[in-house]
């Protein structure tokens, strides 16, 4: 099994397991607090197959009403709360006389807290993780204003007045700090952008409604920091190694097309990949992988132009130098108590950006951008990096909290919606209505899951 795949898989399972445990723990805590019986507390779903119960393992402590365990289907987890219509669809229990330890006999405000317990825990956990990441590792980033080599822009950006080498400073909303999704989001909504061009500050007018997905997904993207095409290392046995490329060498051209940065190198390789993909047969594909590379040796200053064959996955076999090799990063350290307000601000900013970007889900491109388990797993780093692991876990915790509070039946937010209706009107929705709503919600979630994971498969096959 590919080691990168295995490392990402382990990180994904560990992160999701932790978040599901904490989410269900929130429901469990408030249930116990208000004297509601929890019959089962499971990580993953224990859907039975034939005579098999679907349980990987389970146990029930003495004098406890709760069975704890792990199921085989890693799609979340659940608390089986007595007297509640949930994904277990235990309608037989609901036909029995109400008992004082059941969910349905408790006041609405207690049932509301039980329902939001999971979301509350996930959100607080995300803020705590961000705070501890900032406390332990601090922040290290390169300010956009310090990127003195400027940025590279695609055709759409140049049509708006940008030029390669421009340095982005900020918009009418404020100065940019670091390069990332927030910078893209600000540009997409801005009416004015401030830049530094040839040492002079100036402003460009923007429409204020650029499509964020298009800006990021297009190749090349709307804007990227310019990083010189200097090689950090060469992987053994690759085309680059065979033609004598070494760490520190600088790529100057691909097939005679000048390359002044890794940005241009990526564009040229992407263009070749498109050509190879369109080839009708294997012989034509092989010809398409044949390239001429012009590069300068760091050791001697000599320039070589050599023809080689890219690998089948269109790789030359070089690892590029990081942008941190060319600029001095801004370092910020936080004391223990300072880290909490900083982590809260960071987490709220992540949530705000995520909610703001949801509008793109309802477009055709947004639907295509949906990702399932494969897409989520690919967000984890290819090597074990604890800082990135905890950042990703915090991000997923925020997503889990937000998605669960949406007013969709079968999610916590659906139950909350019906409870608020009851608290406002004084009338409970009928059990038949709740059962139908639960089935509709489950069907919608399954459909969404199928679409998201189908997108992963189509991307893997090269159709998206």
């Amino acid at each position: 099994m590919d080691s990168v795949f295995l490392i990402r898989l382990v990180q994904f399972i560990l992160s999701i397991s932790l978040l599901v445990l904490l989410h269900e723990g929130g429901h469990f805590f408030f249930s116990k607090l208000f004297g509601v019986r929890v019959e089962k507390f499971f990580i993953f779903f224990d859907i039975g197959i034939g005579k098999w119960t679907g349980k990987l393992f389970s146990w029930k402590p003495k004098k406890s009403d709760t069975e704890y365990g792990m199921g085989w289907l890693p799609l979340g987890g659940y608390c089986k709360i007595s007297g509640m219509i949930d994904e277990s669809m235990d309608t037989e229990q609901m036909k029995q006389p109400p008992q004082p330890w059941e969910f349905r006999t408790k006041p609405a405000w207690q049932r509301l807290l039980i329902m939001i317990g999971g979301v509350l825990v996930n959100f607080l956990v995300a803020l705590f993780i961000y705070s501890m990441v900032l406390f332990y590792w601090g922040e290290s980033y390169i300010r956009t204003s310090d990127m003195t080599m400027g940025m590279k822009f695609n055709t759409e950006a140049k049509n708006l007045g940008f030029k390669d080498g421009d340095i982005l400073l900020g918009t009418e909303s404020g100065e940019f700090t670091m390069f990332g999704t927030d910078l893209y989001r600000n540009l997409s909504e801005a009416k004015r952008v401030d830049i530094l061009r040839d040492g002079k500050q100036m402003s460009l007018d923007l429409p204020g409604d650029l499509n964020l997905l298009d800006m990021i997904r297009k190749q090349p993207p709307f804007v990227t920091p310019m990083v010189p095409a200097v090689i950090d290392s060469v992987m053994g046995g690759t085309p680059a190694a065979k033609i004598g490329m070494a760490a520190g060498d600088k790529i100057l051209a691909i097939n005679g097309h000048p390359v002044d940065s890794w940005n241009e190198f990526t564009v040229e390789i992407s263009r070749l990949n498109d050509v190879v993909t369109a080839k009708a047969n294997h012989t034509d594909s092989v010809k398409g992988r044949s390239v001429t590379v012009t590069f300068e040796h760091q050791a001697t200053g000599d320039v070589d132009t050599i023809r080689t064959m890219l690998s089948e996955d269109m790789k030359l076999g070089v690892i590029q130098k990081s942008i941190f090799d060319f600029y001095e990063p801004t370092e910020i350290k936080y004391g223990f108590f300072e880290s909490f307000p900083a982590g809260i601000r960071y987490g709220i900013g992540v949530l705000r950006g995520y909610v703001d970007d949801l509008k793109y889900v309802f477009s055709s491109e947004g639907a295509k951008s949906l990702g399932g388990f494969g897409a989520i797993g690919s967000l984890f780093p290819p090597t074990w990096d604890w800082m990135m692991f905890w950042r990703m876990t915090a991000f997923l915790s925020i997503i889990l909290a937000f998605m669960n509070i949406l007013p969709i039946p079968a999610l916590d937010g659906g139950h909350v919606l019906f409870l608020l209706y009851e608290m406002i009107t004084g009338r409970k929705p009928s059990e038949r209505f709740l059962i139908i709503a639960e089935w509709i919600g489950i069907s919608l979630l399954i459909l969404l899951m199928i679409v998201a994971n189908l997108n992963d498969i189509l991307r893997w096959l090269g159709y998206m």
Side-chain angles (χ1 to χ4, degrees):
M1 185 182 290
D2 185 352
S3 61
V4 170
F5 173 80
L6 184 61
I7 289 171
R8 283 177 164 156
L9 177 64
V10 171
Q11 290 181 88
F12 172 69
I13 292 176
L14 178 60
S15 179
I16 290 297
S17 300
L18 175 64
L19 294 181
V20 169
L21 177 67
L22 292 169
H23 179 89
E24 299 304 329
H27 296 307
F28 183 88
F29 171 79
F30 283 104
S31 296
K32 290 294 187 180
L33 181 66
F34 298 130
V36 176
R37 183 175 294 175
V38 178
E39 298 173 18
K40 296 176 74 172
F41 184 99
F42 265 66
I43 301 297
F44 304 155
F45 291 109
D46 56 331
I47 297 174
I49 302 175
K51 294 183 179 180
W52 184 46
T53 61
K55 302 172 186 177
L56 296 181
F57 63 84
S58 68
W59 77 96
K60 190 173 184 178
K62 291 181 179 180
K63 298 181 181 180
S64 174
D65 299 314
T66 308
E67 178 189 6
Y68 302 89
M70 176 178 282
W72 67 274
L73 189 61
L75 300 180
Y78 70 99
C79 281
K80 175 66 173 67
I81 299 174
S82 294
M84 174 184 169
I85 296 174
D86 57 12
E87 59 270 15
S88 68
M89 290 298 178
D90 189 358
T91 55
E92 290 303 314
Q93 185 183 74
M94 303 302 291
K95 294 176 182 177
Q96 305 302 317
Q99 301 297 325
W101 62 78
E102 289 186 333
F103 177 84
R104 56 180 163 168
T105 62
K106 299 300 178 180
W109 68 271
Q110 291 185 5
R111 284 179 280 139
L112 181 65
L113 286 174
I114 291 171
M115 281 295 93
I116 67 173
V119 168
L120 181 63
V121 167
N122 277 135
F123 188 62
L124 292 177
V125 162
L127 298 182
F128 178 76
I129 292 175
Y130 280 132
S131 299
M132 290 300 95
V133 167
L134 292 176
F135 168 66
Y136 190 83
W137 285 285
E139 286 188 277
S140 180
Y141 61 91
I142 299 167
R143 299 185 68 89
T144 55
S145 57
D146 292 339
M147 296 179 182
T148 53
M149 288 182 286
M151 287 83 181
K152 294 285 288 188
F153 298 87
N154 67 9
T155 303
E156 287 76 10
K158 290 176 180 177
N159 289 338
L160 292 170
F162 291 102
K163 291 184 178 181
D164 288 341
D166 287 348
I167 301 171
L168 297 174
L169 301 177
T171 67
E172 68 269 21
S173 299
E175 292 184 7
F176 294 133
T177 50
M178 66 185 77
F179 195 96
T181 306
D182 286 339
L183 179 143
Y184 267 98
R185 189 178 297 110
N186 290 339
L187 281 175
S188 71
E189 299 171 351
K191 294 284 188 179
R192 188 201 79 235
V193 59
D194 301 322
I195 62 173
L196 195 66
R197 178 178 294 170
D198 299 328
K200 297 179 180 179
Q201 186 169 332
M202 59 181 295
S203 298
L204 298 175
D205 293 328
L206 294 179
D209 60 353
L210 295 173
N211 187 293
L212 179 62
L213 280 181
D214 285 345
M215 295 172 71
I216 295 174
R217 285 164 58 92
K218 282 192 175 178
Q219 289 298 325
F222 188 87
V223 57
T224 50
M226 185 182 289
V227 181
V230 179
I231 298 169
D232 179 77
S233 57
V234 176
M235 291 177 279
T238 61
K242 292 175 182 177
I243 63 175
M245 300 183 84
D249 291 354
K250 185 176 183 180
I251 299 174
L252 303 178
I254 298 290
N255 283 347
H257 297 286
V259 168
D260 63 358
S261 63
W262 284 114
N263 317 66
E264 289 291 341
F265 176 83
T266 302
V267 170
E268 291 301 324
I269 296 298
S270 295
R271 185 181 293 120
L272 289 171
N273 187 50
D274 291 341
V275 171
V276 169
T277 303
K279 293 296 183 182
N281 53 58
H282 177 70
T283 302
D284 288 340
S285 295
V286 170
K287 289 180 180 178
R289 286 165 43 210
S290 179
V291 298
T292 301
V293 182
T294 302
F295 61 100
E296 179 183 344
H297 294 276
Q298 181 196 34
T300 63
D302 294 339
V303 175
D304 275 339
T305 299
I306 303 176
R307 196 155 194 83
T308 187
M309 185 77 68
L310 297 177
S311 63
E312 290 188 4
D313 58 353
M314 299 301 290
K315 302 294 184 184
L316 183 59
V318 295
I319 297 175
Q320 69 181 60
K321 276 189 174 292
S322 164
I323 192 171
F324 285 90
D325 292 316
F326 299 96
Y327 299 112
E328 190 70 28
T330 296
E331 304 276 357
I332 303 176
K333 298 295 182 183
Y334 295 92
F336 182 75
F337 294 106
E338 291 176 316
S339 68
F340 287 99
I344 291 170
R345 284 194 302 272
Y346 190 92
I348 291 175
V350 170
L351 176 62
R352 186 183 296 117
Y354 180 75
V355 173
D356 187 57
D357 295 344
L358 274 182
K359 60 178 177 285
Y360 294 105
V361 173
F362 303 101
S363 66
S364 58
E365 284 300 312
K368 292 178 183 178
S369 71
L370 287 175
F373 300 120
I376 296 172
S378 67
L379 295 175
F380 287 92
T383 57
W384 199 281
D385 183 324
W386 279 111
M387 183 180 74
M388 291 303 299
F389 169 80
W390 286 116
R391 279 186 177 274
M392 269 305 304
T393 300
F395 178 63
L396 292 179
S397 193
I398 282 181
I399 292 177
L400 186 61
F402 179 78
M403 295 301 292
N404 262 285
I405 205 62
L406 291 176
I408 299 173
L411 294 177
D412 296 341
H415 294 288
V416 168
L417 179 66
F418 299 141
L419 279 168
L420 291 176
Y421 169 82
E422 177 186 339
M423 295 172 74
I424 293 170
T425 65
R427 298 193 303 271
K428 283 186 178 181
S430 69
E431 289 182 9
R432 182 173 181 276
F433 172 83
L434 292 176
I435 291 171
I436 293 173
E438 193 78 10
W439 275 116
I440 292 173
I442 290 173
S443 300
L444 287 173
L445 294 177
I446 291 174
L447 178 62
L448 181 62
M449 193 175 299
I450 290 172
V451 170
N453 285 284
L454 181 60
N455 283 349
D456 283 353
I457 295 171
L458 292 175
R459 275 190 285 266
W460 180 66
L461 294 173
Y463 291 108
M464 288 182 65

